[in-house]
């Protein structure tokens, strides 16, 4: 809440302009100054500065609300609570879909459909409220250059052929999705810091970052001393800003993450290795030294990030054609799993009756295996198989 811009705290435009010339832009910048410093930069008296301090403090302080007020608000306006995924079983488990006002992480091995899910949710957010959408714009931060406008249009045309039957509707939808390609940690953080005014101006209803792990992986080599702390600080700052945006504007924020694989003898598994090992999941050895837990797949960003996200969905391989989405962490949903395929219309859930091993409810997500596709030569030809590994990072 301290990152709220001063112009949204009820101060006059003239005063905000004067403060901005001194690089005082957010409530935090203002509240970190002493009374004498504020009197100097504002040109106002001691008592007026006291009033300004009280006004800014109230503007950025979290507002108390009762559980009854929250319940009634969501009952009156269901679109303010969730963005439907249109995957009926998943929506039912999540009590409506991706929660507004919180961070939802989608993680899994390469090729499982994380970006496809993000593209599909982008289309859904632009739909009218009467169709289960949020009737707003989308900010899509792409750190892997994986965004495809053609694929976005294809999903829209096949998932909602009646609605997107005209060029005008497609044009309006694509104009509502604002893409930023940010390829460094610094540029991602700066982009997030500028989103507040953009969310207001463009009536943004969904923020997506695909992916969070990509830039972290490239810039923080865990073999170098000090990088672990720098990475933790970066992730904490990023999570704090995103949580503020989600809660302040009551919008969903969707983030993709990656996994890594490692054998007990320290050798990498020949699988889809798309991110660094989780250096925050180290354990104390008998001698007091840090030792890596053997034989695990880990989410890439460690416990600092794990505790920041509100909901985690894991996408994994089941067989050559079918994948699974697991509800691995949620404040309102039990641990559960659903089978899906990736088609022209995006992700499509499959009938679980055809898969007798689909009953996951009640299992511990900490012990849940993640299936990672590997390519193995069989009779001289490559064949795609699913390899099962364990999720090490506590959820």
């Amino acid at each position: 809440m301290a990152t709220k811009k001063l112009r949204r705290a009820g101060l006059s435009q003239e005063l905000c302009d004067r403060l901005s010339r001194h690089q005082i832009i957010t409530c935090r910048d203002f509240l970190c100054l002493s009374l004498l410093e504020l009197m100097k930069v504002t040109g106002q008296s001691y008592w007026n500065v006291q009033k300004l301090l009280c006004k800014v403090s109230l503007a950025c302080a979290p507002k108390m609300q009762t559980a009854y007020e929250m319940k009634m608000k969501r009952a009156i306006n269901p679109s303010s609570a969730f963005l439907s995924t249109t995957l009926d079983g998943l929506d039912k488990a999540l009590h409506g879909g991706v929660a507004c006002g919180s961070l939802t992480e989608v993680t899994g091995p390469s090729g499982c459909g994380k970006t496809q899910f993000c593209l599909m949710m982008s289309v859904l957010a632009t739909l009218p409220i009467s169709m289960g959408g949020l009737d707003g714009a989308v900010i899509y931060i792409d750190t892997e250059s994986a965004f495809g406008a053609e694929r976005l249009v294809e999903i829209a045309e096949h998932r909602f052929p009646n609605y997107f039957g005209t060029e005008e509707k497609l044009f309006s939808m694509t104009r509502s999705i604002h893409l930023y390609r940010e390829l460094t940690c610094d540029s991602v953080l700066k982009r997030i810091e500028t989103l507040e005014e953009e969310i207001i101006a463009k009536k943004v209803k969904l923020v997506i970052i695909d992916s969070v792990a990509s830039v972290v992986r490239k810039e923080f080599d865990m073999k170098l001393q000090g990088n672990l702390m720098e990475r933790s600080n970066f992730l904490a700052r990023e999570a704090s800003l995103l949580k503020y945006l989600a809660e302040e504007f009551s919008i969903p924020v969707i983030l993709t993450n990656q996994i890594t694989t490692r054998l007990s003898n320290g050798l990498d598994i020949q699988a889809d290795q798309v991110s660094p090992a989780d250096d925050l999941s180290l354990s104390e050895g008998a001698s007091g030294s840090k030792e890596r837990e053997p034989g695990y797949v880990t989410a890439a960003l460690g416990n600092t990030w794990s505790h920041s996200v509100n909901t985690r969905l894991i996408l994994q391989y089941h067989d050559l054609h079918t994948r699974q989405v697991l509800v691995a962490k949620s404040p309102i949903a039990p641990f559960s799993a659903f089978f899906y395929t990736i088609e022209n219309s995006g992700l499509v859930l499959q009938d679980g009756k055809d898969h007798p091993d689909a009953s996951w409810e009640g299992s511990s997500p900490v012990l849940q295996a993640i299936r990672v596709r590997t390519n193995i030569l069989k009779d001289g030809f490559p064949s795609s198989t699913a390899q099962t590994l364990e999720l090490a990072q506590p959820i």
Side-chain angles (χ1 to χ4, degrees):
M1 300 294 282
T3 59
K4 177 182 284 190
K5 299 295 177 64
L6 283 172
R7 64 185 59 186
R8 295 189 58 237
L11 304 188
S12 68
Q13 186 62 48
E14 180 184 355
L15 181 56
C16 288
D17 292 340
R18 180 168 183 168
L19 290 169
S20 66
R21 290 196 289 271
H22 296 274
Q23 286 74 52
I24 304 170
I25 299 171
T26 67
C27 292
R28 178 188 286 111
D29 299 334
F30 189 88
L31 296 173
C32 285
L33 298 177
S34 67
L35 282 168
L36 289 177
E37 289 172 324
L38 287 173
M39 290 171 64
K40 181 178 180 180
V41 296
T42 61
Q44 300 198 24
S45 67
Y46 173 84
W47 296 110
N48 284 340
V49 168
Q50 286 276 33
K51 292 178 182 178
L52 288 174
L53 277 171
C54 183
K55 190 172 188 177
V56 173
S57 298
L58 290 173
C60 68
K63 304 296 189 297
M64 186 279 295
Q65 59 180 329
T66 65
Y68 177 77
E69 290 171 338
M70 292 177 63
K71 184 177 183 300
M72 291 304 298
K73 181 181 177 181
R74 294 186 175 186
I76 295 171
N77 185 14
S79 65
S80 67
F82 297 98
L83 170 58
S84 170
T85 67
T86 66
L87 305 173
D88 292 340
L90 182 60
D91 282 345
K92 185 177 179 180
L94 294 173
H95 294 264
V98 175
C100 297
S102 66
L103 307 187
T104 297
E105 180 194 75
V106 182
T107 190
S110 176
C112 263
K114 298 186 295 294
T115 297
Q116 303 298 313
F117 181 82
C118 290
L119 293 174
M120 189 175 77
M121 297 306 294
S122 297
V123 173
L124 295 171
T126 66
L127 292 175
I129 294 176
S130 60
M131 294 181 63
L134 297 178
D135 195 19
V138 178
I139 289 179
Y140 196 116
I141 300 175
D142 181 13
T143 67
E144 297 183 306
S145 298
F147 183 93
E150 295 81 5
R151 178 58 176 149
L152 179 79
V153 171
E154 181 183 34
I155 290 174
E157 289 179 320
H158 285 83
R159 202 167 195 89
F160 302 98
N162 295 330
Y163 184 76
F164 291 108
T166 64
E167 289 292 330
E168 182 182 357
K169 292 290 187 181
L170 288 171
F171 179 75
S172 177
M173 182 270 292
T174 54
R175 284 287 300 270
S176 298
I177 298 174
H178 307 277
L179 177 68
Y180 295 101
R181 284 200 166 97
E182 308 294 351
L183 305 179
T184 67
C185 289
D186 186 58
S187 64
V188 169
L189 199 57
K190 286 182 178 178
R191 176 61 60 190
I192 295 172
E193 289 172 344
T194 64
L195 288 185
E196 184 173 5
E197 293 180 358
E198 193 168 358
I199 288 172
I200 297 171
K202 295 178 179 176
K203 298 181 179 178
V204 171
K205 297 297 183 180
L206 173 65
V207 173
I208 293 174
I209 301 182
D210 182 24
S211 75
V212 173
S214 177
V215 290
V216 175
R217 173 197 180 197
K218 289 183 290 187
E219 295 190 29
F220 292 98
D221 184 354
M222 290 299 99
K223 296 178 182 178
L224 300 179
Q225 188 175 6
N227 269 8
L228 182 60
M229 182 173 292
E230 288 184 27
R231 186 183 74 166
S232 296
N233 291 337
F234 168 77
L235 292 172
R237 174 66 174 159
E238 185 175 22
S240 175
L241 288 170
L242 291 171
K243 274 184 173 290
Y244 162 71
L245 294 174
E247 294 171 2
E248 178 70 9
F249 299 102
S250 190
I251 60 175
V253 174
I254 298 176
L255 316 148
T256 65
N257 195 355
Q258 302 168 338
I259 64 167
T260 186
T261 55
R262 188 167 295 272
L263 282 173
S264 57
N265 60 6
L267 299 176
D268 287 336
I269 297 173
Q270 297 302 312
D272 292 308
Q273 299 177 32
V274 289
S275 62
D278 178 9
D279 294 88
L280 294 182
S281 63
L282 303 180
S283 59
E284 292 284 354
S287 61
S289 62
K290 295 287 186 178
E291 299 176 349
R292 189 180 303 279
E293 295 290 342
Y296 289 119
V297 170
T298 61
L301 302 180
N303 289 334
T304 299
W305 183 259
S306 179
H307 290 293
S308 297
V309 298
N310 303 100
T311 303
R312 171 174 291 137
L313 304 178
I314 297 176
L315 307 186
Q316 68 172 7
Y317 290 94
H318 178 70
D319 54 36
L320 288 174
H321 306 290
T322 310
R323 298 166 174 83
Q324 276 182 317
V325 53
L326 311 179
V327 181
K329 176 185 177 183
S330 171
I332 59 175
F335 179 65
S336 51
F338 305 91
F339 292 93
Y340 69 94
T341 56
I342 299 177
E343 302 177 10
N344 290 337
S345 59
L347 275 63
V348 177
L349 288 190
Q350 303 299 302
D351 187 358
K353 293 180 181 179
D354 297 334
H355 306 280
D357 60 340
S359 178
W360 300 95
E361 190 169 338
S363 301
S364 170
V366 178
L367 303 177
Q368 173 59 36
I370 294 181
R371 296 183 177 88
V372 183
R373 184 177 59 185
T374 60
N375 292 321
I376 302 174
L377 286 175
K378 184 177 181 181
D379 298 329
F381 297 96
S383 64
S384 180
T385 63
Q387 181 163 357
T388 301
L389 304 122
E390 294 178 9
L391 179 64
Q393 178 173 302
I395 300 174

